[in-house]
Amino acid sequence: MDINDNIESPFVLKVSFNKLLNQYEELIKTDNDFIASNARRVLKIAEENPILREGFSDFSVFVDLEKEIEGILQDTFSPILTKNEIKTASVPFHNFTFNASERFKSILKTAGEDFELEMKNMPEDQTYIIACTIILNFCYGYNLNFKRPFFYEIPDANGIKRYYKILYNADFTEIVPNEDAPNITDKDYEELLDNFENIELWKEKFPPNSYTFKGFVISNIFDVTDDQSISNIKSSLIGEDKRKDESFMKGFYEIFRSLFGLKNLEVGFSIYNEVENTFERVYGVGMNSFLLNESESKPCSDALCDWSYNRLMKENAFFSVSDVGRIFKQSKGKAPHVKELYNQGFKSAIFAPIANDDGLMGILEIVSKTPKTLNSINANKLVDVMPFIVSAVERSKNAEANLIEAIIQKECTSIHSSVHWKFVQEARHYIKTEFNTGESPTFRKIAFENVYPLFGQIDVKGSSNARNEATQKDLSLQLNLADKILEKSLEEQSLPIYEQIKFQITEFLSQLKENFKVDSEHAISVFLTTEVKPIFKLIAQTQKALRPDIEDYFSKIDEDLGVIYFYRKHYDDTVKLINTNMSSLIDEKQIEAQKMYPHFFERFKTDGVEHNIYIGESITKQDSFNIIYLYNLRLWQLQVMCEMENEYYQNQHEYPIGLDVASMILVFNQPLSIRFRMDEKRFDVDGTYNARYEVVKKRVDKAFIKGTEERITKKGKLTIVYSQKEDEEEYVRYIRFLQSKNVLDKDLEILELEDLQGVTGLKALRTSILYHNENDKNFYTYDDLMETIKS
């Protein structure tokens, strides 16, 4: 076998001791007889074995001339230091070594028979190119610095991975071009400088086997496990979304095991919540907290004893528990952190505070199931790694704060993506002004001019009446229960106060049936809480026979409200579910609409769902707006409103109670201006004239048809409110189209609205929505649908 087998390289490798022997020829001339005599000894070996000077590549030579090679390298590999130094002779870019020191041989033997020596940090696809850069330095004098640290990773007797850094001594090497080697010019060099990864170009300039490498290198190897472990910890903690990577914590464990030289070792974290003075679990794949065990969070005073609390929280210093069992017995199980370790089977541990100038951020927990392996002495190894952990936690906390802020923005004060660019623009201006002037600038007005508005809502019909009815039922139920208990109580013990309370209950029941007012709910609730409740507690103590009835009464009362919350809960849950489902549907449809043409969109949950849309040139920031996009969005809005109605009524059976909804669209045909109101964190129309639009939006759904007592919005129908004839003509076209698609019915009405305060001349188109589902080819009006559902 040959050392060049299975290797593609610009080199033909030959092991030769020629340059080393040349130095011995110089040493013969020295005045020191001992040095000269030793030089003659080495040269004699070479004379008797000329192949050692000429060079060879056959592996058999290393076996046949093993003693001779060892004799030539005796000075280089001192027998006195062979058990201390980690050293080998080798050829570059090859895992084959020869004439290794005894310590290196011992390290490989400990690693096991199955271990294969492999150089790390040497990309296979770059080995060829790196060899070429060496040729450029050796043969052409171009000073290319491509020095990178190379390592061996070798497990020790405990299976702990240890890191060994390789430093090459290349004093005894020669590189010469073969006859077929192309000459490298300055132009070639300049081309190669910009094409490191172009392997084909490098092979063109340096064909395989076009140069001869003659000599050997001495590898001086050093155990750098501690340094490399620290570096690996630093590298591991750099980067985003590490918590989601299942292999991250496994690798992190291995790094700490290498740092401490311990196989049986685990790492955990707990985060410090300063506001609540608690330790909390870090959420992530493979993340553990041995301080918390199975708890999600725990008050700091419950997780630590007084001494450890002061050590971590006040002094920001680490401490160890070298023998958990012994300390557990000494403390009689009263030290919380020791008790948790004991219960989990850990025998030794180190707790280190993760703290910066602002104070404690969390706890690093290192634990082992072997006693005394973790202690106050090896705990000092953490001194070098804690700065990287602190830095990573700082980044994590900042990222979490940003994420929390983003969630708040999304859920509470959302800035829609279509206008986000404007806020970024103004924020940059804000920062620039503050930097240039050193003063606190004001956030400039954010406004968009000449945008077309669209407004729509799907509203719970008669929501006030429905809630009042639910309230009446709840209060009547509770008053009747109370009345029955008092009646039984009076049979046993006739007290005037009981009779007075019973009379008041009768009065309230009559009021609920005949004249329920807005303030009735409050008055009855106060009466039940402040008068009935104390009386019933007294009856429960004095009349034991009524105790089960009173316990049943109180079991039906909501703890937070202090009254029965049954029918109202059904109503509230239904409205909440309507809002959630309708919001989800229109949000999903909005994604499609944005792809048609970008526009501003926002929605609000009331007793139903309202939405605002604005579209125009100033929002898109591009010279691309066409009025066709407005017409398209209006038609899209009509279709989505009909889909929302269909979605609700087809799934009405899933809601706690049956409520009706009514849909309305408001058309405003003139462009207007909107601006962001910093105090309310929302967009609103800008200017007095445009305020008319907001007035109509707030009042129109409660308006009556002119000359009647009928509301303009009606269950089962879609109402389109407008003021201009051209709006009517446009929407009639849309309605005709949707009628052809069996989305709307043929019963189109054109209605006039009563005058609103400051607004006159409004009209409305109203038509029935057809209901259907994916599995049913039939289409129903609202009345048909109700009949179908009932049957």
Side-chain angles (χ1 to χ4, degrees):
M1 290 181 62
D2 194 284
I3 58 175
N4 292 289
D5 290 345
N6 303 316
I7 296 177
E8 187 178 35
S9 169
F11 291 138
V12 175
L13 296 173
K14 282 191 174 184
V15 174
S16 165
F17 303 99
N18 180 56
K19 287 193 74 173
L20 176 64
L21 295 169
N22 289 343
Q23 291 200 21
Y24 277 108
E25 287 176 348
E26 295 296 321
L27 291 177
I28 291 176
K29 304 171 186 176
T30 185
D31 294 335
N32 189 312
D33 291 340
F34 176 79
I35 294 175
S37 173
N38 184 57
R40 282 191 289 271
R41 175 190 63 80
V42 172
L43 290 171
K44 182 180 180 184
I45 295 172
E47 288 173 10
E48 294 174 353
N49 301 278
I51 195 172
L52 297 177
R53 188 187 284 272
E54 294 166 4
F56 59 93
S57 58
D58 195 316
F59 281 111
S60 62
V61 178
F62 291 106
V63 178
D64 296 340
L65 299 179
E66 181 181 2
K67 294 296 182 183
E68 289 77 3
I69 292 172
E70 186 179 334
I72 289 178
L73 296 176
Q74 184 176 351
D75 295 335
T76 311
F77 288 76
S78 169
I80 302 299
L81 300 176
T82 189
K83 293 183 179 179
N84 179 271
E85 292 183 331
I86 310 174
K87 200 172 186 178
T88 69
S90 62
V91 290
F93 318 124
H94 208 299
N95 290 320
F96 172 69
T97 63
F98 61 94
N99 209 76
S101 67
E102 289 299 322
R103 186 175 174 195
F104 184 75
K105 292 176 182 177
S106 175
I107 290 170
L108 289 185
K109 184 178 180 181
T110 301
E113 294 181 2
D114 296 335
F115 177 76
E116 293 185 12
L117 189 66
E118 183 180 355
M119 193 181 300
K120 301 295 180 182
N121 210 26
M122 172 64 79
E124 290 183 14
D125 56 341
Q126 292 181 3
T127 304
Y128 195 102
I129 297 172
I130 294 170
C132 295
T133 63
I134 294 172
I135 294 170
L136 285 171
N137 286 356
F138 265 79
C139 299
Y140 298 97
Y142 294 114
N143 187 19
L144 283 176
N145 185 356
F146 195 82
K147 290 183 178 179
R148 294 180 63 189
F150 298 117
F151 297 89
Y152 290 134
E153 291 181 7
I154 307 174
D156 64 12
N158 296 317
I160 301 297
K161 189 183 295 181
R162 302 197 66 81
Y163 300 90
Y164 298 90
K165 187 175 183 179
I166 308 164
L167 295 181
Y168 285 125
N169 181 339
D171 290 346
F172 309 114
T173 61
E174 303 170 76
I175 299 175
V176 293
N178 298 334
E179 292 183 1
D180 59 343
N183 186 51
I184 302 300
T185 64
D186 288 341
K187 185 179 179 181
D188 294 326
Y189 173 69
E190 291 169 3
E191 186 180 2
L192 291 168
L193 284 178
D194 295 322
N195 289 279
F196 177 79
E197 295 182 353
N198 187 346
I199 183 68
E200 296 304 322
L201 178 64
W202 287 88
K203 286 182 178 180
E204 176 190 326
K205 307 296 183 185
F206 303 91
N209 306 323
S210 57
Y211 289 79
T212 296
F213 175 94
K214 190 177 177 182
F216 71 101
V217 293
I218 297 173
S219 300
N220 293 290
I221 304 168
F222 303 90
D223 189 335
V224 291
T225 301
D226 286 357
D227 292 339
Q228 188 61 29
S229 297
I230 293 169
S231 177
N232 288 345
I233 288 171
K234 181 179 179 181
S235 300
S236 297
L237 295 173
I238 294 173
E240 304 297 330
D241 294 328
K242 293 288 189 182
R243 296 182 195 175
K244 298 177 183 178
D245 187 348
E246 190 170 354
S247 64
F248 170 67
M249 282 308 294
K250 291 181 180 177
F252 205 60
Y253 285 178
E254 289 301 326
I255 294 169
F256 268 89
R257 287 165 184 162
S258 293
L259 178 65
F260 280 86
L262 300 171
K263 182 67 175 175
N264 185 10
L265 181 149
E266 295 181 53
V267 183
F269 296 92
S270 49
I271 293 298
Y272 175 57
N273 183 332
E274 184 178 8
V275 176
E276 299 180 16
N277 197 34
T278 58
F279 292 126
E280 298 177 352
R281 182 178 298 280
V282 179
Y283 293 102
V285 178
M287 292 279 190
N288 290 316
S289 171
F290 308 108
L291 195 61
L292 298 176
N293 197 0
E294 295 180 355
S295 302
E296 295 297 315
S297 66
K298 192 178 288 186
C300 297
S301 56
D302 292 347
L304 300 168
C305 67
D306 291 342
W307 182 87
S308 58
Y309 181 93
N310 185 68
R311 182 77 172 168
L312 291 173
M313 310 285 288
K314 304 289 180 65
E315 299 176 17
N316 282 339
F318 57 76
F319 70 89
S320 65
V321 183
S322 62
D323 192 333
V324 171
R326 178 171 57 84
I327 301 298
F328 180 76
K329 290 178 182 178
Q330 286 181 359
S331 65
K332 298 179 180 179
K334 293 181 179 180
H337 61 295
V338 176
K339 184 178 179 181
E340 286 293 359
L341 293 172
Y342 184 84
N343 289 339
Q344 295 171 77
F346 295 113
K347 303 297 177 64
S348 60
I350 296 170
F351 294 103
I354 305 170
N356 59 10
D357 293 339
D358 297 327
L360 186 70
M361 294 184 290
I363 304 294
L364 171 66
E365 311 160 1
I366 306 173
V367 296
S368 172
K369 292 190 175 180
T370 305
K372 302 176 184 177
T373 55
L374 294 171
N375 50 65
S376 64
I377 297 172
N378 59 14
N380 286 280
K381 285 180 174 287
L382 293 175
V383 171
D384 295 319
V385 303
M386 288 309 294
F388 306 126
I389 294 175
V390 168
S391 178
V393 172
E394 284 176 333
R395 287 201 316 275
S396 179
K397 286 179 75 71
N398 290 337
E400 184 178 43
N402 292 338
L403 178 60
I404 290 170
E405 191 62 33
I407 291 170
I408 292 171
Q409 282 266 333
K410 179 182 177 183
E411 298 297 328
C412 307
T413 56
S414 177
I415 302 301
H416 193 259
S417 57
S418 63
V419 295
H420 185 262
W421 66 269
K422 187 74 170 178
F423 287 84
V424 172
Q425 187 182 77
E426 294 307 320
R428 284 176 175 159
H429 177 268
Y430 183 99
I431 294 169
K432 183 178 179 182
T433 304
E434 185 177 40
F435 179 78
N436 290 335
T437 65
E439 299 175 358
S440 296
T442 56
F443 209 79
R444 296 190 306 186
K445 173 182 172 181
I446 292 179
F448 298 93
E449 298 180 351
N450 295 319
V451 295
Y452 291 90
L454 294 87
F455 173 77
Q457 67 176 37
I458 181 167
D459 203 27
V460 174
K461 195 68 177 166
S463 57
S464 296
N465 290 337
R467 192 184 191 287
N468 286 342
E469 185 179 338
T471 302
Q472 285 175 288
K473 287 182 177 179
D474 277 341
L475 295 176
S476 295
L477 175 61
Q478 188 167 351
L479 288 169
N480 279 311
L481 285 172
D483 187 60
K484 289 178 181 178
I485 292 172
L486 281 170
E487 191 171 331
K488 289 182 180 180
S489 178
L490 284 167
E491 290 175 1
E492 291 191 21
Q493 187 179 16
S494 180
L495 293 179
I497 188 65
Y498 292 177
E499 291 182 7
Q500 188 272 322
I501 294 294
K502 190 174 186 306
F503 171 79
Q504 187 66 52
I505 288 173
T506 304
E507 287 286 302
F508 278 132
L509 282 169
S510 177
Q511 188 183 112
L512 283 173
K513 290 178 182 178
E514 299 171 6
N515 189 26
F516 183 72
K517 297 178 181 178
V518 176
D519 60 347
S520 298
E521 178 182 359
H522 177 69
I524 295 172
S525 297
V526 170
F527 166 72
L528 289 167
T529 304
T530 60
E531 297 191 44
V532 174
K533 184 178 179 180
I535 290 291
F536 279 11
K537 286 188 174 181
L538 176 62
I539 292 173
Q541 293 174 355
T542 58
Q543 300 180 34
K544 293 182 179 179
L546 291 177
R547 192 173 294 171
D549 292 332
I550 291 174
E551 288 176 355
D552 178 65
Y553 171 85
F554 282 120
S555 70
K556 291 180 169 64
I557 292 174
D558 184 90
E559 291 183 6
D560 296 326
L561 300 176
V563 291
I564 288 178
Y565 179 58
F566 179 75
Y567 293 104
R568 275 171 293 181
K569 186 176 189 306
H570 281 180
Y571 170 81
D572 290 341
D573 287 348
T574 299
V575 172
K576 183 179 179 181
L577 199 55
I578 289 172
N579 288 345
T580 300
N581 291 345
M582 296 302 100
S583 296
S584 297
L585 193 150
I586 197 169
D587 286 348
E588 184 180 334
K589 296 295 180 183
Q590 248 296 294
I591 297 171
E592 301 171 11
Q594 289 292 341
K595 293 176 182 177
M596 299 176 192
Y597 191 82
H599 54 274
F600 176 82
F601 170 83
E602 64 180 354
R603 58 157 175 77
F604 307 97
K605 296 178 181 178
T606 54
D607 281 347
V609 177
E610 299 177 0
H611 66 267
N612 285 320
I613 298 175
Y614 299 103
I615 186 171
E617 190 77 63
S618 59
I619 288 177
T620 54
K621 199 180 61 169
Q622 299 172 7
D623 187 18
S624 61
F625 179 72
N626 188 295
I627 199 70
I628 294 296
Y629 293 122
L630 171 64
Y631 300 152
N632 183 73
L633 196 58
R634 284 175 171 173
L635 180 57
W636 170 87
Q637 183 188 33
L638 277 172
Q639 292 173 295
V640 169
M641 294 296 289
C642 293
E643 284 191 55
M644 291 169 74
E645 283 249 0
N646 263 278
E647 175 74 18
Y648 173 67
Y649 280 113
Q650 291 298 339
N651 296 290
Q652 193 182 39
H653 61 282
E654 297 178 0
Y655 291 79
I657 60 174
L659 296 174
D660 282 310
V661 297
S663 298
M664 185 206 73
I665 287 172
L666 175 62
V667 182
F668 195 79
N669 71 343
Q670 295 296 317
L672 45 74
S673 297
I674 59 172
R675 69 184 175 94
F676 188 76
R677 296 189 182 277
M678 294 295 178
D679 52 346
E680 298 178 15
K681 304 300 181 190
R682 63 183 294 267
F683 277 96
D684 204 351
V685 295
D686 194 18
T688 306
Y689 171 75
N690 294 330
R692 176 173 176 267
Y693 173 69
E694 289 294 327
V695 171
V696 175
K697 270 170 49 178
K698 291 173 182 175
R699 299 176 181 172
V700 70
D701 66 319
K702 302 294 190 293
F704 294 103
I705 298 171
K706 198 166 189 176
T708 73
E709 293 296 318
E710 182 185 347
R711 286 274 176 87
I712 193 65
T713 56
K714 189 175 183 180
K715 60 189 179 184
K717 292 181 179 287
L718 175 63
T719 303
I720 304 164
V721 179
Y722 62 96
S723 61
Q724 302 298 319
K725 184 64 177 176
E726 55 264 37
D727 296 333
E728 179 184 306
E729 293 171 353
E730 179 186 344
Y731 274 85
V732 166
R733 290 197 302 271
Y734 298 153
I735 290 169
R736 298 297 182 211
F737 170 71
L738 294 177
Q739 287 172 340
S740 72
K741 299 288 186 182
N742 288 320
V743 174
L744 297 173
D745 204 1
K746 308 289 186 184
D747 59 342
L748 177 61
E749 303 171 274
I750 299 177
L751 308 167
E752 289 187 46
L753 274 67
E754 67 173 7
D755 293 344
L756 301 176
Q757 184 178 351
V759 181
T760 60
L762 290 177
K763 299 178 75 176
L765 297 170
R766 196 168 71 176
T767 183
S768 295
I769 298 169
L770 293 178
Y771 301 95
H772 57 91
N773 60 42
E774 293 180 1
N775 300 320
D776 191 346
K777 300 300 181 182
N778 297 316
F779 298 90
Y780 307 94
T781 64
Y782 172 81
D783 291 333
D784 293 334
L785 182 68
M786 292 300 106
E787 287 298 321
T788 304
I789 291 172
K790 288 175 184 176
S791 61

